[in-house]
Amino acid sequence: MIVIAIDGPAGSGKSTVGRRLAERLGLTYLDTGAMYRAVAFAAIRQGLDPEDRDRVAALARAVDIVVDDSGVRVDDIDATVEIRGPEVTRAVSVVAANPEVRTELRARQRAWAIERGGGVIEGRDIGTVVFPDALLKVYLTASPEVRASRRAKEMTDLDYDEVAADIARRDAADSGRADSPLATAGDAVTLDTSDIGIEAAVDELVGLVERRRTELAGPGGTPGGAG
Ligand code: DC
């Protein structure tokens, strides 16, 4: 199984870089943030308080989530657009700090990778917790200003200041929570995308993956890597 783990804060370029890298390597791509957003979406739809740990955890275990290239379906409802909206974005940090939700979604992420023989998997705890044996761990980052202006371009209904404040709030929540906070794995490669283009970042990562595969293969060996 070949797993490429990409972690980093909101707006660091994870999704674009992850998708492009997966294409270049012929692997499938998984956005785990969309899974946390899907649980938040389902909780809102059912009128649950996102802070209600037990009910939200039970919901996370029961809900059907499909995340793929065509979008996100939650109990067979197309939630692709709504999971990016302000309501879900406000609720998702609380949902993602719920340890039982994390246990459930991690299990699904591992099952997803086993089914596909690996993939490019993006989130906050992928290299640190979910796939500690990933072939390559990447920590993508960018300055807070660059990250906020990237997100502001995606969110048509919010201006730069609102997005910057939201990103700062989520950075603090994601990095400060007790269960698997956003952190750099000791063996991760850190890449700052503030000044380099997405294509340059992808090129660099493709090169690193190829090098890792060759190192693992050794002289005359078979490329592999636990994931
Ligand atoms: O990447 P994103 O903004 O779509 O992530 C949504 C939320 O989910 C964000 O608050 C961080 C959280 N998240 C997480 O805790 N662990 C992951 N593996 C992925 C996302």
Side-chain angles (χ1 to χ4, degrees):
M1 175 155 91
I2 290 184
V3 170
I4 316 295
I6 305 184
D7 292 301
S12 56
K14 294 190 305 292
S15 302
T16 321
V17 170
R19 270 178 227 283
R20 296 281 267 281
L21 184 63
E23 265 170 35
R24 291 268 298 270
L25 298 171
L27 294 171
T28 323
Y29 163 79
L30 179 64
D31 169 5
T32 63
M35 298 174 76
Y36 288 94
R37 287 173 181 273
V39 174
F41 168 84
I44 292 166
R45 247 189 110 245
Q46 295 199 5
L48 298 184
D49 175 357
E51 306 266 2
D52 186 338
R53 278 196 178 195
D54 292 345
R55 288 211 171 123
V56 174
L59 171 71
R61 286 189 283 268
V63 70
D64 183 47
I65 302 171
V66 180
V67 177
D68 61 24
D69 287 346
S70 65
V72 177
R73 297 189 74 79
V74 180
D75 282 336
D76 232 12
I77 296 166
D78 185 354
T80 313
V81 175
E82 249 180 292
I83 61 155
R84 307 285 164 200
E87 205 184 351
V88 170
T89 299
R90 262 194 305 274
V92 70
S93 299
V94 172
V95 169
N98 184 325
E100 288 181 64
V101 171
R102 301 198 70 79
T103 302
E104 172 63 24
L105 294 190
R106 264 183 223 142
R108 294 191 192 197
Q109 290 152 18
R110 291 185 182 119
W112 179 95
I114 288 167
E115 252 172 50
R116 289 160 183 81
V120 174
I121 305 175
E122 174 236 296
R124 301 293 191 287
D125 59 344
I126 306 304
T128 48
V129 178
V130 190
F131 296 100
D133 298 325
L135 178 75
L136 180 70
K137 299 179 189 178
V138 184
Y139 188 84
L140 274 195
T141 186
S143 71
E145 297 75 26
V146 168
R147 295 194 285 117
S149 71
R150 282 179 187 159
R151 275 287 152 105
K153 274 185 205 146
E154 290 165 17
M155 312 277 295
T156 43
D157 48 353
L158 293 177
D159 68 18
Y160 174 87
D161 290 337
E162 287 172 301
V163 173
D166 173 64
I167 282 192
R169 180 186 65 75
R170 285 206 295 140
D171 281 358
D174 292 343
S175 306
R177 70 169 175 245
D179 187 340
S180 45
L182 171 64
T184 318
D187 49 354
V189 174
T190 299
L191 203 58
D192 189 321
T193 62
S194 306
D195 301 321
I196 61 168
I198 294 295
E199 219 39 64
V202 174
D203 283 346
E204 178 153 350
L205 295 178
V206 169
L208 285 171
V209 170
E210 279 166 4
R211 212 176 313 151
R212 274 298 144 83
R213 278 172 154 166
T214 314
E215 280 165 14
L216 276 180
T222 315

